[in-house]
Amino acid sequence: MRDGLKAPKPRLVVGISGSSAPQLGITLLRALAESRAVETHLVISHGARRCIRLETGSSVEEVAALADVVHHPADLAAAISSGSFRTLGMAVVPCSARTLAAVATGHGDNLLARAADVTLKERRPLVLAVRETPLNLIHIRNMETVTLAGATVLPPVPAFYHRPRTIDDLLRQTAGKILDQFGIDHHLFARWRTPEGDR
């Protein structure tokens, strides 16, 4: 690197939308802050701000402090709204059915949806942790649409092969699965291995 300058960190965009379980996004942000592997650019939707206040013991300001850069959801002129702003991709955690629909239809009327649209058009990884149950046909078709467009639908389905003991263990496993999609190393959960003798 010329003049002894370090290469800038790669950037990852994180969106938290207005679905239940903002703890999923908070856990991902904490893991990224601890790893220091990327520069995080965060968008918290208006709905997510209310969910954070209602469902967690954290304030929106405390959550925002976990990111390197925070963008207002109405700021469509933010850097992450342009494909010329290079990133590793984007994760929307959790992803509400409304945000899923916006991404599926290219309806970028807020920064979170616009950044997701940009991620797809630039052929960068887009991970949507869709958190809704049960699913209706509209949800299923929207998930098909975004998958065909290049996104990865990653519902926060709990796993038990790592023998979780707490809710945090379950949250960290989902965060780890998301980081895997971007090739970011972590030690958030014990990976599956065949038990000794089970061959």
Side-chain angles (χ1 to χ4, degrees), residues 10-13 41 80 82-83 85-90 119 124-125:
R11 306 173 181 123
L12 182 68
V13 182
H41 286 253
I80 60 173
S82 172
F85 186 75
R86 298 180 66 181
T87 71
L88 290 177
M90 181 177 184
T119 303
R124 297 168 184 157

Side-chain angles (χ1 to χ4, degrees), residues 76-184:
L76 290 174
I80 60 173
S81 71
S82 172
S84 64
F85 186 75
R86 298 180 66 181
T87 71
L88 290 177
M90 181 177 184
V92 183
V93 191
C95 178
S96 66
R98 176 180 179 177
T99 297
L100 171 66
V103 176
T105 58
H107 188 61
D109 66 339
N110 61 68
L111 182 59
L112 197 159
R114 169 60 186 168
D117 187 56
V118 165
T119 303
L120 286 178
K121 81 179 183 67
E122 297 296 327
R123 305 298 192 267
R124 297 168 184 157
L126 173 64
V127 176
L128 304 177
V130 177
R131 207 226 62 80
E132 186 62 83
T133 189
L135 299 170
N136 65 36
L137 184 57
I138 296 170
H139 301 145
I140 293 168
R141 286 182 172 165
N142 282 340
M143 287 191 285
E144 178 189 37
T145 297
V146 297
T147 300
L148 291 172
T152 296
V153 176
L154 196 156
V157 177
F160 294 91
Y161 56 81
H162 60 299
R163 298 190 178 182
R165 296 183 178 182
T166 67
I167 292 175
D168 282 342
D169 289 341
L170 295 174
L171 292 170
R172 287 167 63 84
Q173 196 266 346
T174 293
K177 295 288 286 185
I178 293 167
L179 293 183
D180 284 350
Q181 295 297 310
F182 298 97
I184 298 173

Side-chain angles (χ1 to χ4, degrees), residues 5-75:
L5 297 176
K6 292 183 179 179
K9 282 185 182 180
R11 306 173 181 123
L12 182 68
V13 182
V14 176
I16 301 179
S17 70
S19 167
S20 184
Q23 293 89 342
L24 292 161
I26 294 169
T27 302
L28 179 66
L29 287 171
R30 285 185 178 141
L32 289 167
E34 290 170 5
S35 77
R36 300 182 180 180
V38 298
E39 177 183 282
T40 50
H41 286 253
L42 175 65
V43 184
I44 304 174
S45 75
H46 292 297
R49 290 167 185 264
R50 186 168 189 189
C51 286
I52 288 169
R53 288 192 292 266
L54 291 173
E55 296 188 16
T56 77
S58 302
S59 68
V60 174
E61 292 73 23
E62 288 171 326
V63 175
L66 295 170
D68 295 301
V69 182
V70 181
H71 303 279
H72 193 278
D75 184 10

